[in-house]
Short mmCIF file of all heavy atoms in Angstrom, two decimals:
data_model
loop_
_atom_site.label_atom_id
_atom_site.label_comp_id
_atom_site.label_asym_id
_atom_site.label_seq_id
_atom_site.Cartn_x
_atom_site.Cartn_y
_atom_site.Cartn_z
N THR A 157 9.39 -33.62 32.04
CA THR A 157 9.22 -33.10 33.38
C THR A 157 9.47 -34.18 34.38
O THR A 157 10.04 -33.91 35.49
CB THR A 157 7.79 -32.51 33.63
OG1 THR A 157 6.81 -33.50 33.38
CG2 THR A 157 7.49 -31.32 32.71
N LEU A 158 9.05 -35.40 34.11
CA LEU A 158 9.32 -36.48 35.05
C LEU A 158 10.83 -36.78 35.13
O LEU A 158 11.30 -36.92 36.24
CB LEU A 158 8.60 -37.72 34.63
CG LEU A 158 7.01 -37.74 34.74
CD1 LEU A 158 6.42 -38.98 34.06
CD2 LEU A 158 6.59 -37.64 36.18
N MET A 159 11.51 -36.80 33.98
CA MET A 159 12.89 -37.06 34.03
C MET A 159 13.70 -35.85 34.69
O MET A 159 14.62 -36.12 35.53
CB MET A 159 13.43 -37.23 32.57
CG MET A 159 12.91 -38.45 31.92
SD MET A 159 13.45 -40.06 32.60
CE MET A 159 15.16 -39.91 32.16
N ALA A 160 13.29 -34.67 34.46
CA ALA A 160 13.97 -33.46 35.00
C ALA A 160 13.69 -33.41 36.52
O ALA A 160 14.62 -32.85 37.22
CB ALA A 160 13.46 -32.20 34.32
N SER A 161 12.65 -33.91 36.96
CA SER A 161 12.40 -33.92 38.46
C SER A 161 13.48 -34.75 39.13
O SER A 161 13.73 -34.53 40.39
CB SER A 161 11.02 -34.44 38.81
OG SER A 161 10.88 -35.83 38.51
N ARG A 162 14.12 -35.64 38.47
CA ARG A 162 15.18 -36.45 39.14
C ARG A 162 16.44 -35.67 39.33
O ARG A 162 17.39 -36.09 40.01
CB ARG A 162 15.49 -37.67 38.24
CG ARG A 162 14.24 -38.64 38.12
CD ARG A 162 14.45 -39.69 37.05
NE ARG A 162 15.63 -40.51 37.29
CZ ARG A 162 16.11 -41.34 36.39
NH1 ARG A 162 15.41 -41.51 35.22
NH2 ARG A 162 17.19 -42.00 36.58
N LEU A 163 16.48 -34.46 38.73
CA LEU A 163 17.65 -33.60 38.95
C LEU A 163 17.62 -33.01 40.41
O LEU A 163 18.56 -32.36 40.87
CB LEU A 163 17.70 -32.47 37.99
CG LEU A 163 18.05 -32.89 36.54
CD1 LEU A 163 17.79 -31.65 35.61
CD2 LEU A 163 19.40 -33.46 36.42
N GLY A 164 16.48 -33.18 41.10
CA GLY A 164 16.42 -32.86 42.50
C GLY A 164 15.57 -31.63 42.80
O GLY A 164 15.56 -31.05 43.92
N ASP A 165 14.75 -31.18 41.84
CA ASP A 165 13.88 -30.01 42.05
C ASP A 165 12.44 -30.34 41.57
O ASP A 165 11.94 -29.64 40.64
CB ASP A 165 14.44 -28.83 41.24
CG ASP A 165 14.05 -27.45 41.92
OD1 ASP A 165 13.24 -27.51 42.82
OD2 ASP A 165 14.55 -26.46 41.40
N SER A 166 11.91 -31.36 42.15
CA SER A 166 10.63 -31.87 41.68
C SER A 166 9.46 -30.87 41.83
O SER A 166 8.55 -30.83 41.06
CB SER A 166 10.24 -33.16 42.43
OG SER A 166 10.22 -32.93 43.82
N SER A 167 9.60 -29.98 42.80
CA SER A 167 8.57 -28.95 43.03
C SER A 167 8.53 -27.98 41.81
O SER A 167 7.52 -27.23 41.62
CB SER A 167 8.72 -28.22 44.32
OG SER A 167 9.91 -27.54 44.32
N LEU A 168 9.58 -27.90 41.06
CA LEU A 168 9.68 -27.04 39.90
C LEU A 168 9.01 -27.68 38.70
O LEU A 168 8.50 -26.97 37.81
CB LEU A 168 11.11 -26.64 39.62
CG LEU A 168 11.39 -25.54 38.60
CD1 LEU A 168 10.84 -24.21 38.93
CD2 LEU A 168 12.85 -25.50 38.24
N TRP A 169 9.05 -29.01 38.64
CA TRP A 169 8.67 -29.73 37.40
C TRP A 169 7.23 -30.41 37.48
O TRP A 169 6.53 -30.37 36.52
CB TRP A 169 9.68 -30.75 37.16
CG TRP A 169 11.02 -30.25 36.76
CD1 TRP A 169 12.18 -30.04 37.47
CD2 TRP A 169 11.37 -29.65 35.40
NE1 TRP A 169 13.11 -29.47 36.81
CE2 TRP A 169 12.67 -29.20 35.48
CE3 TRP A 169 10.62 -29.46 34.28
CZ2 TRP A 169 13.28 -28.61 34.42
CZ3 TRP A 169 11.24 -28.89 33.15
CH2 TRP A 169 12.64 -28.48 33.23
N LEU A 170 6.99 -31.00 38.58
CA LEU A 170 5.75 -31.88 38.64
C LEU A 170 4.47 -31.12 38.49
O LEU A 170 3.58 -31.64 37.86
CB LEU A 170 5.78 -32.74 39.93
CG LEU A 170 6.89 -33.73 40.01
CD1 LEU A 170 6.83 -34.58 41.27
CD2 LEU A 170 6.93 -34.62 38.76
N PRO A 171 4.29 -29.93 38.98
CA PRO A 171 3.06 -29.17 38.75
C PRO A 171 2.75 -28.86 37.34
O PRO A 171 1.63 -29.08 36.84
CB PRO A 171 3.32 -27.89 39.61
CG PRO A 171 4.23 -28.27 40.66
CD PRO A 171 5.21 -29.27 39.96
N ILE A 172 3.80 -28.40 36.59
CA ILE A 172 3.51 -28.12 35.14
C ILE A 172 3.29 -29.40 34.39
O ILE A 172 2.53 -29.41 33.38
CB ILE A 172 4.56 -27.26 34.54
CG1 ILE A 172 5.98 -27.89 34.65
CG2 ILE A 172 4.64 -25.89 35.19
CD1 ILE A 172 7.05 -27.13 33.89
N GLY A 173 3.99 -30.48 34.73
CA GLY A 173 3.76 -31.79 34.07
C GLY A 173 2.37 -32.27 34.40
O GLY A 173 1.71 -32.87 33.49
N SER A 174 1.88 -32.05 35.56
CA SER A 174 0.48 -32.44 35.91
C SER A 174 -0.56 -31.73 35.11
O SER A 174 -1.57 -32.28 34.68
CB SER A 174 0.22 -32.23 37.42
OG SER A 174 1.12 -33.04 38.17
N ALA A 175 -0.33 -30.42 34.87
CA ALA A 175 -1.30 -29.65 34.05
C ALA A 175 -1.37 -30.23 32.60
O ALA A 175 -2.40 -30.36 32.02
CB ALA A 175 -0.83 -28.19 34.03
N ALA A 176 -0.12 -30.55 32.09
CA ALA A 176 -0.15 -31.07 30.73
C ALA A 176 -0.81 -32.48 30.67
O ALA A 176 -1.49 -32.83 29.69
CB ALA A 176 1.37 -31.25 30.29
N LEU A 177 -0.67 -33.25 31.77
CA LEU A 177 -1.36 -34.61 31.82
C LEU A 177 -2.81 -34.37 31.88
O LEU A 177 -3.52 -35.18 31.23
CB LEU A 177 -0.84 -35.29 33.08
CG LEU A 177 -1.40 -36.68 33.32
CD1 LEU A 177 -0.98 -37.61 32.17
CD2 LEU A 177 -0.94 -37.26 34.69
N GLY A 178 -3.39 -33.34 32.50
CA GLY A 178 -4.68 -33.11 32.51
C GLY A 178 -5.34 -32.76 31.16
O GLY A 178 -6.46 -33.13 30.82
N VAL A 179 -4.49 -32.05 30.34
CA VAL A 179 -4.94 -31.67 28.97
C VAL A 179 -4.81 -32.83 28.03
O VAL A 179 -5.55 -32.87 27.01
CB VAL A 179 -4.10 -30.47 28.51
CG1 VAL A 179 -4.35 -30.17 27.04
CG2 VAL A 179 -4.28 -29.24 29.43
N LEU A 180 -3.94 -33.75 28.31
CA LEU A 180 -3.66 -34.85 27.36
C LEU A 180 -4.93 -35.60 26.94
O LEU A 180 -4.99 -36.04 25.77
CB LEU A 180 -2.57 -35.83 27.98
CG LEU A 180 -2.17 -36.99 27.12
CD1 LEU A 180 -1.54 -36.52 25.80
CD2 LEU A 180 -1.21 -37.91 27.90
N HIS A 181 -5.81 -35.85 27.94
CA HIS A 181 -7.05 -36.57 27.61
C HIS A 181 -7.87 -35.96 26.42
O HIS A 181 -8.53 -36.66 25.73
CB HIS A 181 -7.91 -36.58 28.90
CG HIS A 181 -9.30 -36.99 28.69
ND1 HIS A 181 -9.69 -38.23 28.33
CD2 HIS A 181 -10.52 -36.20 28.72
CE1 HIS A 181 -11.05 -38.30 28.22
NE2 HIS A 181 -11.50 -37.15 28.44
#
Side-chain angles (χ1 to χ4, degrees):
T157 58
L158 290 173
M159 296 292 291
S161 67
R162 294 167 59 188
L163 292 172
D165 207 355
S166 57
S167 62
L168 187 68
W169 292 102
L170 296 183
I172 58 175
S174 298
L177 184 61
V179 174
L180 182 62
H181 165 69

